[in-house]
Amino acid sequence: AFWSFAQTPGWWRPSALVAVAPLIVLLFNLLHLTGSSPFWGLDPSPIGISIGMAFVAIAVFRYRAFELVPIPRGEIYDRIDSAIITVDLNDVVIDANQRAREIFDTEPKALFGTPLADFLPPSLLSEVEEASGRDAERVIEVRDRYLESAVQHLDRRDGNLGGRVLSFRDVTERHRAELALLEAQQQLAEANAELRTLAHTDPLTGLANRRSLMERLEHELQDAEPNAPLGVLMLDLDRFKRVNDVHGHSAGDQVLRATARAVRECLGEDDLAARFGGEELVVLTPASSADELMELAERIRRAIAEARIEVEAGVLSVTVSLGAALSSELEGDDPSGRSSGDALLARADERLYRAKEAGRDRVVGPFVRMPS
């Protein structure tokens, strides 16, 4: 029995030794007073005192009884970092720790017995009322601080609801760090999107660049249906070098930008305009026939010819020559039955130079379109 007692955990062993010591002394005194002493009529009280003192000595020196300082429950409750509030079925505060009074800046005397609505800010009270289920957690903002709130329902022994325990933990620093991280991630995403745009956009004209053109061209050719050929227009500004030589490169840049605007205004949602290099532009369009492709080319030619471009020296007008080609034209030249993007561009480029040789300001395609 003594060995089992010695193995008992916690502070019960020293407490039991100290409690038993006076009982032993009392027992030996009773033996003397009742004449029941087993020691030949001698007073056994000193023996009881000695045994009792031995028990106390074991408790003090073996188990360090005086070093075990009990911590009151209230002190532990008040040292919890989270604010804890307990309310009854009528939402009247029946208990709250010190942290709750600090967070909500409430005097202790004005806390207990007060309705929850008088204790919590309206925004926080609405969050509590919206909490549903057995448990609910969320982060809310109160007085420039962020609190992680949780609501737990208390059940009575009969299974009925007995009240609620509300806990609030100040997570302001963590939440602000999370918001900063989200903002940084959003900025990074925007920067990446801008980089992707820059990687596929010509900075002067705002049209797609050559890389984007080639990717789109190969993609369209791979997905093209036999009855839906892809049309390519290659256009080049006529005598553009003269514009740069006479009016300067700044005027040349303005002419390129104005030309790009005129081309964009002629295109549909499925068309793509790109700057191929220098003063050369390329248009990709899902043309169903040579007539449709040539009509689009002619609209672009007229729009550029009719444009009036304001530069520092005055108003300029320019013309373009265009070469047009359809992917269906090259299918017989490719044993695989598919047209390559380079071959299609080469066909359009060949017709562009034929338009230049024929006098400029015209379209050369599957059939020649003279300026009207």
Side-chain angles (χ1 to χ4, degrees), residues 5 17-18 35 48 54 68 77 82 102 106 118 146 151 162 186 203 215 237 250 298 304 308 314 353 364:
F5 167 79
L17 289 170
V18 173
L68 297 176
Y77 188 56
S82 299
E102 293 174 355
T106 304
D118 296 344
Y146 293 96
V151 179
Q186 182 178 0
E215 291 177 356
L237 285 166
S250 177
E298 183 60 25
I304 295 174
R308 296 298 176 261
Y353 280 96
V364 173

Side-chain angles (χ1 to χ4, degrees), residues 139 141-146 170-183:
V139 175
E141 184 177 3
V142 179
R143 299 177 183 175
D144 298 327
R145 289 192 295 184
Y146 293 96
D170 194 336
V171 293
T172 302
E173 295 302 323
R174 188 195 74 185
H175 192 70
R176 287 175 178 171
E178 291 174 350
L179 292 177
L181 179 59
L182 289 176
E183 183 178 358

Side-chain angles (χ1 to χ4, degrees), residues 192-204:
N192 288 336
E194 184 176 356
L195 287 175
R196 285 192 296 270
T197 300
L198 292 175
H200 291 82
T201 305
D202 175 63
L204 177 61

Side-chain angles (χ1 to χ4, degrees), residues 22-177:
L23 295 178
I24 294 175
V25 175
L26 179 60
L27 175 62
F28 277 75
N29 282 334
L30 289 175
L31 291 175
H32 173 66
L33 293 175
T34 58
S36 303
S37 174
F39 304 105
W40 306 282
L42 297 177
D43 184 0
S45 298
I47 298 174
I49 294 174
S50 299
I51 296 174
M53 291 299 295
F55 274 44
V56 173
I58 293 173
V60 172
F61 296 106
R62 174 64 179 84
Y63 297 110
R64 300 179 179 179
F66 292 161
E67 296 181 15
L68 297 176
V69 180
I71 301 176
R73 171 187 171 279
E75 186 175 349
I76 298 176
Y77 188 56
D78 284 336
R79 287 184 180 182
I80 296 176
D81 188 54
S82 299
I84 300 178
I85 304 170
T86 306
V87 297
D88 60 14
L89 291 176
N90 297 318
D91 280 344
V92 174
V93 177
I94 57 177
D95 197 5
N97 65 351
Q98 179 64 31
R99 186 59 175 156
R101 297 190 286 268
E102 293 174 355
I103 288 181
F104 300 108
D105 193 22
T106 304
E107 294 295 331
K109 294 181 180 179
L111 177 60
F112 300 104
T114 60
L116 191 61
D118 296 344
F119 176 62
L120 298 182
S123 60
L124 187 54
L125 181 58
S126 64
E127 294 285 345
V128 173
E129 292 174 346
E130 291 174 5
S132 60
R134 304 305 297 173
D135 300 290
E137 290 188 5
R138 64 189 70 194
V139 175
I140 55 180
E141 184 177 3
V142 179
R143 299 177 183 175
D144 298 327
R145 289 192 295 184
Y146 293 96
L147 302 178
E148 185 178 70
S149 64
V151 179
Q152 293 182 337
H153 295 259
L154 298 177
D155 293 333
R156 294 176 177 173
R157 292 183 178 180
D158 58 6
N160 296 322
L161 184 64
R164 291 181 293 176
V165 176
L166 288 61
S167 63
F168 305 93
R169 188 159 61 95
D170 194 336
V171 293
T172 302
E173 295 302 323
R174 188 195 74 185
H175 192 70
R176 287 175 178 171

Side-chain angles (χ1 to χ4, degrees), residues 204 240-241 243-245 247-257:
L204 177 61
F240 182 71
K241 185 177 182 299
V243 174
N244 283 330
D245 293 342
H247 302 286
H249 289 280
S250 177
D253 291 345
Q254 289 178 274
V255 169
L256 283 172
R257 283 192 287 265

